[in-house]
Amino acid sequence: MRLSSKQSTLLVLAALMIVSPFFFPSNYYYRIGSLVFVNSIAVVGIVILTGYAGQISLGHAGFLGIGGYACALLPIHLGVPPALAAVLGAVLSGIIAYGVGRPILRLKGYYLAVASLGFGVLVAMVLANEGWLTGGPDGVKVPDPGLRAALEWLGIPLANPQLWYAFSGLVLFVGAWLALNLRDSPTGRALRALHGSEVAARTAGVDIARAKLNAFVISAVYASVAGSLLALQNRLITPDVAGFMHSIELVTMAVLGGAGSVLGGIFGAALLTLLPQVLTVLQDYEHVVLGLVMMLVMIFLPAGLIPSARRLLRGRGE
Amino acid sequence: MKRIATGVVALALMATAASADIKIGAIVSETGPASSLGDPEAKTIRMMVEALNAKGGIKGEKAKLVLYDDGGDPSKAKTFATRLVEDDGVVAMVGGTTTGTSLAILAVAEDSKVPFISLAGAIEIIDPVKPYVFKTPHTDRMACLKIFADMKSRGLTRIGLISGTDGFGASMRAQCLAVAKSSGIEIVADETYGPKDADITPQLTNIRNRPGIQAVLNSGFGQGPATITRNYAQLGIALPLYQSHGVASNAFIELSGAKNAEGVRLPGTALLVGELLDPKDPQKPVVLAYKANFEKAAGGAPVSTFGGYAHDAMLILAEAMAKAPSAKPAAIRDAIEATTGLVGTTGAYTYSKTDHLGLDLSAFRMLEISNGGWKLVP
């Protein structure tokens, strides 16, 4: 039986998630792993928006901020349980993305990038300046969702990093599965059609405005879920999460790994999360090496690491 | 691929973690928005560990420093704290340049029972008291109390408050508002400015026009306070101006212009006025020695209060490790808590079960800028 590309992607992902812990010498590696998964979730959202639909957002960290702060503020101000707050945060992000997306998705190219950037900066500013609500620039503590206690009660005692490795991994797996399914669905085909040519897609009967909006809302929900997971495992959230640099980081992860492919996005996220940890050894050169890696990828593998590598392998096989 | 990457991480760590020395961990914001605080802290910590080893280390064993730069990001700080504790196997941690990073690190410290001495200002870090968390800087609340006491002694009770919207400004504003009433101070104007604003005259004009206003207090850090001092002079406002402990440095006088800054008062540590201190002052030798050492180690860069916080944290830690019966984290924690009357650059520290700050108001000196230099207000 030949596996479809979707099945093999999911299989590789699951295998990596399950096998990696056997090589972890300490809990620190679980922490890094869970950060890789959290970043990957947000990046898979960007793969849908940028890779499938060809739209650029430089403000996606804003949705991470909304998702993260929902987990802190809804329990504190309204007494909502943190787990439910994460879901409400995702819904809220979707609604805001719908409202914001309608006008700004009329823009194209640079104009869209700048408008989305403005949105991200606005969210970060509100989070930093409305101290009475958000706790201001020093951030706010996030209540314990009780997941660890629940598992302990079930007889599965896990250290904090292990728990979040498992949980974020599970969420990422589901997220990747949905994104891969979306790719081959009519909605996904419409997105990829408008990526190729908006005029041709419209001629073929695709409602372009609607398709773009769909992609934007879906990717916002992914970002929001990532933000919630980050807030819940850090037990603290600060406005930096929604900051401009974080948005850029997410887009870079997607582009580096290959914006058109889910596995590529995840690989990019893993690389850019791990590299700074490895490079602490040569602390002074960290940014130089990161820049160099980026430049080399852009010059020699313009489609991103995974798609370019796949093309190379396939070329050799035939 | 990820397995390979993990392997690379492991290899890189093994290369640095081969020796059996006593390991001390540090996490500071050497780069990023808080680098003006974190950079002197990092330099000080490196210098102190070198000095410790030059003197024979801890009970004959060499101390090894593992220092990470969190770039001011609390999530990174948490990752590095996990790394220090779980992977590098440090026996104590120093750092947390900003309140956000300190809060992120202290969660790991408490979870894994490794003592942590924070270098950030906010009171939440040690209130309520957490067994494994200590800190060296004064709280913002103490700065407010010191300033308000000085105002009262000059008969100034109706004041205008202007605050930066960054972490430092927002936190100090909240603390000042909280203690104003009990200090007998009435805040009649409350304005804010962005940390990068190039002109703050509208807010200052607004404050000046409040009836019966007697003084202005700026809770802010970085460039904002210098801009305010210049704008204040340009507007010809004759009311006394108070700045926060966050700008207690010579760079502030230079940025504001000595003429504009004339008469500005602020609470600062002894570090800034080392030469002016009474010869009998117990802090004088400590402060002068640190100043000389730091300026030599940092290639002539001037000392700052923040480097002083790191100096005190390392001093406390070194003393505790020398006294502790073993190099186990729990033993070091107990020794830190037993610190009594240890004189640092910031003040004399006396920790107890209920006090992990260890300082009182006497450690703050009220300073006045005079002829481009500092003057102690008696």
Side-chain angles (χ1 to χ4, degrees), chain A residues 23 26-29 31 35 137 233-234 240 267 274 277 280 283, chain B residues 1 3 5 9 13 30 69 74-75 78-79 83 86-87 165-167:
Chain A
F23 296 89
S26 79
N27 277 340
Y28 157 65
Y29 294 82
R31 160 83 183 163
L35 284 180
Q233 67 164 300
N234 279 354
D240 318 337
F267 184 74
L274 290 173
Q277 294 292 326
T280 48
Q283 197 200 14
Chain B
M1 266 333 248
R3 228 186 310 167
V9 178
L13 283 169
E30 211 176 348
D69 169 20
S75 186
K78 177 155 181 151
T79 308
R83 182 167 176 177
E86 298 279 348
D87 222 86
T165 52
D166 52 341

PDB file of all heavy atoms in Angstrom, chain A residues 23 26-29 31 35 137 233-234 240 267 274 277 280 283, chain B residues 1 3 5 9 13 30 69 74-75 78-79 83 86-87 165-167:
ATOM      1  N   PHE A  23      15.232  10.176  23.819  1.00  0.00           N
ATOM      2  CA  PHE A  23      16.582  10.726  23.749  1.00  0.00           C
ATOM      3  C   PHE A  23      16.739  11.944  24.649  1.00  0.00           C
ATOM      4  O   PHE A  23      17.744  12.619  24.607  1.00  0.00           O
ATOM      5  CB  PHE A  23      16.909  11.099  22.300  1.00  0.00           C
ATOM      6  CG  PHE A  23      16.944   9.926  21.390  1.00  0.00           C
ATOM      7  CD1 PHE A  23      15.793   9.481  20.746  1.00  0.00           C
ATOM      8  CD2 PHE A  23      18.142   9.233  21.191  1.00  0.00           C
ATOM      9  CE1 PHE A  23      15.819   8.376  19.916  1.00  0.00           C
ATOM     10  CE2 PHE A  23      18.177   8.129  20.358  1.00  0.00           C
ATOM     11  CZ  PHE A  23      17.014   7.692  19.729  1.00  0.00           C
ATOM     12  N   SER A  26      16.913  15.277  30.089  1.00  0.00           N
ATOM     13  CA  SER A  26      16.317  15.972  31.239  1.00  0.00           C
ATOM     14  C   SER A  26      15.027  16.679  30.842  1.00  0.00           C
ATOM     15  O   SER A  26      14.694  16.778  29.665  1.00  0.00           O
ATOM     16  CB  SER A  26      17.292  16.994  31.821  1.00  0.00           C
ATOM     17  OG  SER A  26      17.277  18.150  31.016  1.00  0.00           O
ATOM     18  N   ASN A  27      14.333  17.189  31.861  1.00  0.00           N
ATOM     19  CA  ASN A  27      13.062  17.865  31.620  1.00  0.00           C
ATOM     20  C   ASN A  27      13.192  19.101  30.752  1.00  0.00           C
ATOM     21  O   ASN A  27      12.233  19.553  30.131  1.00  0.00           O
ATOM     22  CB  ASN A  27      12.444  18.297  32.955  1.00  0.00           C
ATOM     23  CG  ASN A  27      11.693  17.163  33.600  1.00  0.00           C
ATOM     24  OD1 ASN A  27      11.320  16.211  32.911  1.00  0.00           O
ATOM     25  ND2 ASN A  27      11.475  17.257  34.896  1.00  0.00           N
ATOM     26  N   TYR A  28      14.394  19.682  30.729  1.00  0.00           N
ATOM     27  CA  TYR A  28      14.607  20.869  29.907  1.00  0.00           C
ATOM     28  C   TYR A  28      14.256  20.601  28.451  1.00  0.00           C
ATOM     29  O   TYR A  28      13.693  21.444  27.769  1.00  0.00           O
ATOM     30  CB  TYR A  28      16.061  21.323  30.071  1.00  0.00           C
ATOM     31  CG  TYR A  28      16.616  22.143  28.948  1.00  0.00           C
ATOM     32  CD1 TYR A  28      16.093  23.403  28.666  1.00  0.00           C
ATOM     33  CD2 TYR A  28      17.671  21.678  28.173  1.00  0.00           C
ATOM     34  CE1 TYR A  28      16.603  24.163  27.647  1.00  0.00           C
ATOM     35  CE2 TYR A  28      18.186  22.431  27.150  1.00  0.00           C
ATOM     36  CZ  TYR A  28      17.655  23.669  26.881  1.00  0.00           C
ATOM     37  OH  TYR A  28      18.166  24.407  25.866  1.00  0.00           O
ATOM     38  N   TYR A  29      14.533  19.372  27.977  1.00  0.00           N
ATOM     39  CA  TYR A  29      14.257  19.053  26.585  1.00  0.00           C
ATOM     40  C   TYR A  29      12.757  18.965  26.311  1.00  0.00           C
ATOM     41  O   TYR A  29      12.302  19.245  25.222  1.00  0.00           O
ATOM     42  CB  TYR A  29      14.985  17.767  26.176  1.00  0.00           C
ATOM     43  CG  TYR A  29      16.476  17.948  26.196  1.00  0.00           C
ATOM     44  CD1 TYR A  29      17.178  17.844  27.381  1.00  0.00           C
ATOM     45  CD2 TYR A  29      17.158  18.291  25.035  1.00  0.00           C
ATOM     46  CE1 TYR A  29      18.543  18.057  27.406  1.00  0.00           C
ATOM     47  CE2 TYR A  29      18.524  18.508  25.055  1.00  0.00           C
ATOM     48  CZ  TYR A  29      19.212  18.384  26.244  1.00  0.00           C
ATOM     49  OH  TYR A  29      20.557  18.616  26.269  1.00  0.00           O
ATOM     50  N   ARG A  31      10.642  20.892  27.804  1.00  0.00           N
ATOM     51  CA  ARG A  31      10.254  22.297  27.723  1.00  0.00           C
ATOM     52  C   ARG A  31      10.504  22.823  26.309  1.00  0.00           C
ATOM     53  O   ARG A  31       9.649  23.456  25.704  1.00  0.00           O
ATOM     54  CB  ARG A  31      11.035  23.100  28.771  1.00  0.00           C
ATOM     55  CG  ARG A  31      11.130  24.580  28.535  1.00  0.00           C
ATOM     56  CD  ARG A  31       9.903  25.316  29.035  1.00  0.00           C
ATOM     57  NE  ARG A  31      10.020  26.736  28.729  1.00  0.00           N
ATOM     58  CZ  ARG A  31       8.997  27.562  28.743  1.00  0.00           C
ATOM     59  NH1 ARG A  31       7.797  27.140  29.064  1.00  0.00           N
ATOM     60  NH2 ARG A  31       9.162  28.824  28.465  1.00  0.00           N
ATOM     61  N   LEU A  35       7.797  24.057  23.445  1.00  0.00           N
ATOM     62  CA  LEU A  35       7.864  25.361  22.772  1.00  0.00           C
ATOM     63  C   LEU A  35       7.868  25.184  21.259  1.00  0.00           C
ATOM     64  O   LEU A  35       7.241  25.963  20.536  1.00  0.00           O
ATOM     65  CB  LEU A  35       9.125  26.114  23.201  1.00  0.00           C
ATOM     66  CG  LEU A  35       9.107  26.749  24.586  1.00  0.00           C
ATOM     67  CD1 LEU A  35      10.428  27.442  24.858  1.00  0.00           C
ATOM     68  CD2 LEU A  35       7.964  27.742  24.719  1.00  0.00           C
ATOM     69  N   PRO A 137       2.679  46.375  31.396  1.00  0.00           N
ATOM     70  CA  PRO A 137       3.841  45.819  30.702  1.00  0.00           C
ATOM     71  C   PRO A 137       4.502  44.653  31.439  1.00  0.00           C
ATOM     72  O   PRO A 137       5.199  43.863  30.816  1.00  0.00           O
ATOM     73  CB  PRO A 137       4.828  46.997  30.628  1.00  0.00           C
ATOM     74  CG  PRO A 137       4.069  48.188  31.041  1.00  0.00           C
ATOM     75  CD  PRO A 137       2.895  47.763  31.811  1.00  0.00           C
ATOM     76  N   GLN A 233       1.160  27.185  29.925  1.00  0.00           N
ATOM     77  CA  GLN A 233       2.350  26.469  30.413  1.00  0.00           C
ATOM     78  C   GLN A 233       3.344  27.401  31.081  1.00  0.00           C
ATOM     79  O   GLN A 233       4.052  27.003  31.982  1.00  0.00           O
ATOM     80  CB  GLN A 233       2.997  25.624  29.330  1.00  0.00           C
ATOM     81  CG  GLN A 233       3.621  26.380  28.202  1.00  0.00           C
ATOM     82  CD  GLN A 233       4.555  25.460  27.419  1.00  0.00           C
ATOM     83  OE1 GLN A 233       5.502  24.928  27.939  1.00  0.00           O
ATOM     84  NE2 GLN A 233       4.256  25.257  26.155  1.00  0.00           N
ATOM     85  N   ASN A 234       3.379  28.681  30.656  1.00  0.00           N
ATOM     86  CA  ASN A 234       4.294  29.617  31.321  1.00  0.00           C
ATOM     87  C   ASN A 234       3.710  30.134  32.625  1.00  0.00           C
ATOM     88  O   ASN A 234       4.436  30.657  33.458  1.00  0.00           O
ATOM     89  CB  ASN A 234       4.591  30.810  30.415  1.00  0.00           C
ATOM     90  CG  ASN A 234       5.640  30.487  29.386  1.00  0.00           C
ATOM     91  OD1 ASN A 234       6.227  29.420  29.411  1.00  0.00           O
ATOM     92  ND2 ASN A 234       5.877  31.400  28.478  1.00  0.00           N
ATOM     93  N   ASP A 240       4.803  41.300  25.336  1.00  0.00           N
ATOM     94  CA  ASP A 240       5.781  40.953  24.282  1.00  0.00           C
ATOM     95  C   ASP A 240       5.261  39.866  23.364  1.00  0.00           C
ATOM     96  O   ASP A 240       5.639  39.809  22.197  1.00  0.00           O
ATOM     97  CB  ASP A 240       7.099  40.388  24.849  1.00  0.00           C
ATOM     98  CG  ASP A 240       7.588  41.127  26.052  1.00  0.00           C
ATOM     99  OD1 ASP A 240       7.181  42.287  26.185  1.00  0.00           O
ATOM    100  OD2 ASP A 240       8.354  40.544  26.836  1.00  0.00           O
ATOM    101  N   PHE A 267       8.908  22.242  10.639  1.00  0.00           N
ATOM    102  CA  PHE A 267      10.360  22.124  10.653  1.00  0.00           C
ATOM    103  C   PHE A 267      11.011  23.487  10.873  1.00  0.00           C
ATOM    104  O   PHE A 267      11.949  23.632  11.662  1.00  0.00           O
ATOM    105  CB  PHE A 267      10.844  21.520   9.327  1.00  0.00           C
ATOM    106  CG  PHE A 267      12.314  21.289   9.299  1.00  0.00           C
ATOM    107  CD1 PHE A 267      12.878  20.252  10.016  1.00  0.00           C
ATOM    108  CD2 PHE A 267      13.150  22.126   8.563  1.00  0.00           C
ATOM    109  CE1 PHE A 267      14.240  20.050  10.008  1.00  0.00           C
ATOM    110  CE2 PHE A 267      14.512  21.927   8.552  1.00  0.00           C
ATOM    111  CZ  PHE A 267      15.063  20.886   9.274  1.00  0.00           C
ATOM    112  N   LEU A 274      15.081  25.824  18.230  1.00  0.00           N
ATOM    113  CA  LEU A 274      16.255  25.097  18.738  1.00  0.00           C
ATOM    114  C   LEU A 274      17.551  25.877  18.549  1.00  0.00           C
ATOM    115  O   LEU A 274      18.408  25.892  19.425  1.00  0.00           O
ATOM    116  CB  LEU A 274      16.384  23.742  18.035  1.00  0.00           C
ATOM    117  CG  LEU A 274      15.323  22.712  18.381  1.00  0.00           C
ATOM    118  CD1 LEU A 274      15.479  21.482  17.495  1.00  0.00           C
ATOM    119  CD2 LEU A 274      15.430  22.305  19.842  1.00  0.00           C
ATOM    120  N   GLN A 277      18.897  28.077  21.245  1.00  0.00           N
ATOM    121  CA  GLN A 277      19.333  27.309  22.407  1.00  0.00           C
ATOM    122  C   GLN A 277      20.712  26.713  22.178  1.00  0.00           C
ATOM    123  O   GLN A 277      21.548  26.675  23.063  1.00  0.00           O
ATOM    124  CB  GLN A 277      18.332  26.187  22.717  1.00  0.00           C
ATOM    125  CG  GLN A 277      16.969  26.689  23.165  1.00  0.00           C
ATOM    126  CD  GLN A 277      17.027  27.364  24.514  1.00  0.00           C
ATOM    127  OE1 GLN A 277      17.802  26.978  25.379  1.00  0.00           O
ATOM    128  NE2 GLN A 277      16.214  28.386  24.712  1.00  0.00           N
ATOM    129  N   THR A 280      23.626  29.417  22.247  1.00  0.00           N
ATOM    130  CA  THR A 280      24.037  30.118  23.468  1.00  0.00           C
ATOM    131  C   THR A 280      25.518  29.872  23.724  1.00  0.00           C
ATOM    132  O   THR A 280      26.162  30.643  24.406  1.00  0.00           O
ATOM    133  CB  THR A 280      23.252  29.646  24.702  1.00  0.00           C
ATOM    134  OG1 THR A 280      23.249  28.239  24.712  1.00  0.00           O
ATOM    135  CG2 THR A 280      21.838  30.170  24.708  1.00  0.00           C
ATOM    136  N   GLN A 283      27.376  32.823  22.185  1.00  0.00           N
ATOM    137  CA  GLN A 283      26.387  33.864  22.433  1.00  0.00           C
ATOM    138  C   GLN A 283      26.555  35.105  21.547  1.00  0.00           C
ATOM    139  O   GLN A 283      25.594  35.588  20.968  1.00  0.00           O
ATOM    140  CB  GLN A 283      26.480  34.272  23.894  1.00  0.00           C
ATOM    141  CG  GLN A 283      25.268  35.026  24.360  1.00  0.00           C
ATOM    142  CD  GLN A 283      25.600  35.817  25.623  1.00  0.00           C
ATOM    143  OE1 GLN A 283      26.749  35.992  25.988  1.00  0.00           O
ATOM    144  NE2 GLN A 283      24.579  36.302  26.279  1.00  0.00           N
TER     145      GLN A 283
ATOM    146  N   MET B   1      14.956  14.707  11.777  1.00  0.00           N
ATOM    147  CA  MET B   1      15.710  15.946  11.804  1.00  0.00           C
ATOM    148  C   MET B   1      15.771  16.478  13.226  1.00  0.00           C
ATOM    149  O   MET B   1      16.768  17.006  13.686  1.00  0.00           O
ATOM    150  CB  MET B   1      15.025  17.009  10.922  1.00  0.00           C
ATOM    151  CG  MET B   1      15.541  17.073   9.517  1.00  0.00           C
ATOM    152  SD  MET B   1      17.228  16.540   9.241  1.00  0.00           S
ATOM    153  CE  MET B   1      18.012  18.048   8.799  1.00  0.00           C
ATOM    154  N   ARG B   3      15.652  14.892  15.896  1.00  0.00           N
ATOM    155  CA  ARG B   3      16.526  14.100  16.736  1.00  0.00           C
ATOM    156  C   ARG B   3      17.972  14.570  16.573  1.00  0.00           C
ATOM    157  O   ARG B   3      18.716  14.676  17.540  1.00  0.00           O
ATOM    158  CB  ARG B   3      16.408  12.623  16.336  1.00  0.00           C
ATOM    159  CG  ARG B   3      16.228  11.755  17.568  1.00  0.00           C
ATOM    160  CD  ARG B   3      16.261  10.309  17.216  1.00  0.00           C
ATOM    161  NE  ARG B   3      15.369   9.959  16.115  1.00  0.00           N
ATOM    162  CZ  ARG B   3      15.450   8.782  15.487  1.00  0.00           C
ATOM    163  NH1 ARG B   3      16.359   7.910  15.836  1.00  0.00           N
ATOM    164  NH2 ARG B   3      14.620   8.492  14.525  1.00  0.00           N
ATOM    165  N   ALA B   5      18.890  17.544  15.738  1.00  0.00           N
ATOM    166  CA  ALA B   5      19.010  18.842  16.396  1.00  0.00           C
ATOM    167  C   ALA B   5      19.142  18.664  17.897  1.00  0.00           C
ATOM    168  O   ALA B   5      19.960  19.315  18.551  1.00  0.00           O
ATOM    169  CB  ALA B   5      17.798  19.694  16.062  1.00  0.00           C
ATOM    170  N   VAL B   9      22.191  19.773  20.456  1.00  0.00           N
ATOM    171  CA  VAL B   9      22.024  20.497  21.724  1.00  0.00           C
ATOM    172  C   VAL B   9      22.761  19.747  22.827  1.00  0.00           C
ATOM    173  O   VAL B   9      23.534  20.322  23.593  1.00  0.00           O
ATOM    174  CB  VAL B   9      20.535  20.626  22.096  1.00  0.00           C
ATOM    175  CG1 VAL B   9      20.398  21.349  23.443  1.00  0.00           C
ATOM    176  CG2 VAL B   9      19.771  21.388  21.042  1.00  0.00           C
ATOM    177  N   LEU B  13      26.022  20.982  25.045  1.00  0.00           N
ATOM    178  CA  LEU B  13      25.938  21.101  26.494  1.00  0.00           C
ATOM    179  C   LEU B  13      27.049  20.303  27.160  1.00  0.00           C
ATOM    180  O   LEU B  13      27.672  20.770  28.102  1.00  0.00           O
ATOM    181  CB  LEU B  13      24.588  20.604  26.976  1.00  0.00           C
ATOM    182  CG  LEU B  13      23.468  21.613  26.740  1.00  0.00           C
ATOM    183  CD1 LEU B  13      22.130  20.980  26.989  1.00  0.00           C
ATOM    184  CD2 LEU B  13      23.659  22.814  27.644  1.00  0.00           C
ATOM    185  N   GLU B  30      20.771  40.855  28.745  1.00  0.00           N
ATOM    186  CA  GLU B  30      21.956  41.555  28.270  1.00  0.00           C
ATOM    187  C   GLU B  30      21.663  42.303  26.970  1.00  0.00           C
ATOM    188  O   GLU B  30      22.288  43.306  26.671  1.00  0.00           O
ATOM    189  CB  GLU B  30      23.071  40.522  28.045  1.00  0.00           C
ATOM    190  CG  GLU B  30      24.452  41.063  28.284  1.00  0.00           C
ATOM    191  CD  GLU B  30      25.518  39.982  28.138  1.00  0.00           C
ATOM    192  OE1 GLU B  30      25.151  38.797  28.075  1.00  0.00           O
ATOM    193  OE2 GLU B  30      26.700  40.338  28.086  1.00  0.00           O
ATOM    194  N   ASP B  69      21.425  34.948  28.229  1.00  0.00           N
ATOM    195  CA  ASP B  69      20.807  36.236  27.931  1.00  0.00           C
ATOM    196  C   ASP B  69      19.375  35.981  27.465  1.00  0.00           C
ATOM    197  O   ASP B  69      19.165  35.327  26.454  1.00  0.00           O
ATOM    198  CB  ASP B  69      21.631  36.925  26.835  1.00  0.00           C
ATOM    199  CG  ASP B  69      20.929  38.129  26.265  1.00  0.00           C
ATOM    200  OD1 ASP B  69      20.021  38.658  26.930  1.00  0.00           O
ATOM    201  OD2 ASP B  69      21.293  38.543  25.148  1.00  0.00           O
ATOM    202  N   PRO B  74      10.159  36.993  28.884  1.00  0.00           N
ATOM    203  CA  PRO B  74       9.899  36.106  30.017  1.00  0.00           C
ATOM    204  C   PRO B  74       9.814  34.631  29.632  1.00  0.00           C
ATOM    205  O   PRO B  74      10.228  33.765  30.402  1.00  0.00           O
ATOM    206  CB  PRO B  74       8.547  36.585  30.548  1.00  0.00           C
ATOM    207  CG  PRO B  74       8.394  37.966  30.053  1.00  0.00           C
ATOM    208  CD  PRO B  74       9.123  38.021  28.746  1.00  0.00           C
ATOM    209  N   SER B  75       9.306  34.350  28.415  1.00  0.00           N
ATOM    210  CA  SER B  75       9.191  32.958  27.998  1.00  0.00           C
ATOM    211  C   SER B  75      10.592  32.350  27.839  1.00  0.00           C
ATOM    212  O   SER B  75      10.843  31.207  28.244  1.00  0.00           O
ATOM    213  CB  SER B  75       8.400  32.874  26.692  1.00  0.00           C
ATOM    214  OG  SER B  75       8.170  31.546  26.358  1.00  0.00           O
ATOM    215  N   LYS B  78      12.116  31.728  31.216  1.00  0.00           N
ATOM    216  CA  LYS B  78      11.613  30.494  31.823  1.00  0.00           C
ATOM    217  C   LYS B  78      12.337  29.279  31.237  1.00  0.00           C
ATOM    218  O   LYS B  78      12.699  28.349  31.962  1.00  0.00           O
ATOM    219  CB  LYS B  78      10.103  30.381  31.595  1.00  0.00           C
ATOM    220  CG  LYS B  78       9.559  29.092  32.133  1.00  0.00           C
ATOM    221  CD  LYS B  78       8.089  29.185  32.467  1.00  0.00           C
ATOM    222  CE  LYS B  78       7.649  27.858  33.032  1.00  0.00           C
ATOM    223  NZ  LYS B  78       6.564  27.982  33.968  1.00  0.00           N
ATOM    224  N   THR B  79      12.532  29.286  29.911  1.00  0.00           N
ATOM    225  CA  THR B  79      13.243  28.186  29.273  1.00  0.00           C
ATOM    226  C   THR B  79      14.659  28.072  29.821  1.00  0.00           C
ATOM    227  O   THR B  79      15.129  26.978  30.138  1.00  0.00           O
ATOM    228  CB  THR B  79      13.303  28.413  27.757  1.00  0.00           C
ATOM    229  OG1 THR B  79      11.980  28.656  27.298  1.00  0.00           O
ATOM    230  CG2 THR B  79      13.869  27.213  27.046  1.00  0.00           C
ATOM    231  N   ARG B  83      16.547  25.166  31.894  1.00  0.00           N
ATOM    232  CA  ARG B  83      17.812  24.623  31.422  1.00  0.00           C
ATOM    233  C   ARG B  83      18.870  24.635  32.528  1.00  0.00           C
ATOM    234  O   ARG B  83      19.584  23.647  32.718  1.00  0.00           O
ATOM    235  CB  ARG B  83      18.285  25.451  30.228  1.00  0.00           C
ATOM    236  CG  ARG B  83      19.569  24.950  29.618  1.00  0.00           C
ATOM    237  CD  ARG B  83      19.773  25.610  28.279  1.00  0.00           C
ATOM    238  NE  ARG B  83      21.041  25.228  27.687  1.00  0.00           N
ATOM    239  CZ  ARG B  83      21.429  25.630  26.478  1.00  0.00           C
ATOM    240  NH1 ARG B  83      20.647  26.403  25.759  1.00  0.00           N
ATOM    241  NH2 ARG B  83      22.581  25.256  25.996  1.00  0.00           N
ATOM    242  N   GLU B  86      17.578  21.971  35.265  1.00  0.00           N
ATOM    243  CA  GLU B  86      17.426  20.581  34.847  1.00  0.00           C
ATOM    244  C   GLU B  86      18.671  20.049  34.147  1.00  0.00           C
ATOM    245  O   GLU B  86      18.992  18.873  34.249  1.00  0.00           O
ATOM    246  CB  GLU B  86      16.240  20.455  33.889  1.00  0.00           C
ATOM    247  CG  GLU B  86      14.904  20.839  34.489  1.00  0.00           C
ATOM    248  CD  GLU B  86      14.317  19.711  35.316  1.00  0.00           C
ATOM    249  OE1 GLU B  86      14.838  18.595  35.221  1.00  0.00           O
ATOM    250  OE2 GLU B  86      13.344  19.965  36.047  1.00  0.00           O
ATOM    251  N   ASP B  87      19.315  20.907  33.365  1.00  0.00           N
ATOM    252  CA  ASP B  87      20.372  20.406  32.508  1.00  0.00           C
ATOM    253  C   ASP B  87      21.758  20.778  32.996  1.00  0.00           C
ATOM    254  O   ASP B  87      22.662  19.958  33.008  1.00  0.00           O
ATOM    255  CB  ASP B  87      20.158  20.965  31.097  1.00  0.00           C
ATOM    256  CG  ASP B  87      20.401  19.910  30.070  1.00  0.00           C
ATOM    257  OD1 ASP B  87      19.445  19.174  29.795  1.00  0.00           O
ATOM    258  OD2 ASP B  87      21.532  19.801  29.581  1.00  0.00           O
ATOM    259  N   THR B 165       4.764  54.829  30.356  1.00  0.00           N
ATOM    260  CA  THR B 165       3.840  53.700  30.215  1.00  0.00           C
ATOM    261  C   THR B 165       4.591  52.373  30.106  1.00  0.00           C
ATOM    262  O   THR B 165       3.988  51.347  29.841  1.00  0.00           O
ATOM    263  CB  THR B 165       2.944  53.866  28.975  1.00  0.00           C
ATOM    264  OG1 THR B 165       3.797  54.125  27.871  1.00  0.00           O
ATOM    265  CG2 THR B 165       1.980  55.000  29.142  1.00  0.00           C
ATOM    266  N   ASP B 166       5.920  52.389  30.296  1.00  0.00           N
ATOM    267  CA  ASP B 166       6.669  51.125  30.296  1.00  0.00           C
ATOM    268  C   ASP B 166       6.493  50.415  31.642  1.00  0.00           C
ATOM    269  O   ASP B 166       5.846  50.945  32.541  1.00  0.00           O
ATOM    270  CB  ASP B 166       8.153  51.399  30.026  1.00  0.00           C
ATOM    271  CG  ASP B 166       8.711  52.442  30.965  1.00  0.00           C
ATOM    272  OD1 ASP B 166       7.906  53.186  31.547  1.00  0.00           O
ATOM    273  OD2 ASP B 166       9.937  52.516  31.131  1.00  0.00           O
ATOM    274  N   GLY B 167       7.071  49.235  31.770  1.00  0.00           N
ATOM    275  CA  GLY B 167       6.889  48.429  32.982  1.00  0.00           C
ATOM    276  C   GLY B 167       7.284  49.170  34.236  1.00  0.00           C
ATOM    277  O   GLY B 167       6.551  49.224  35.221  1.00  0.00           O
TER     278      GLY B 167
END
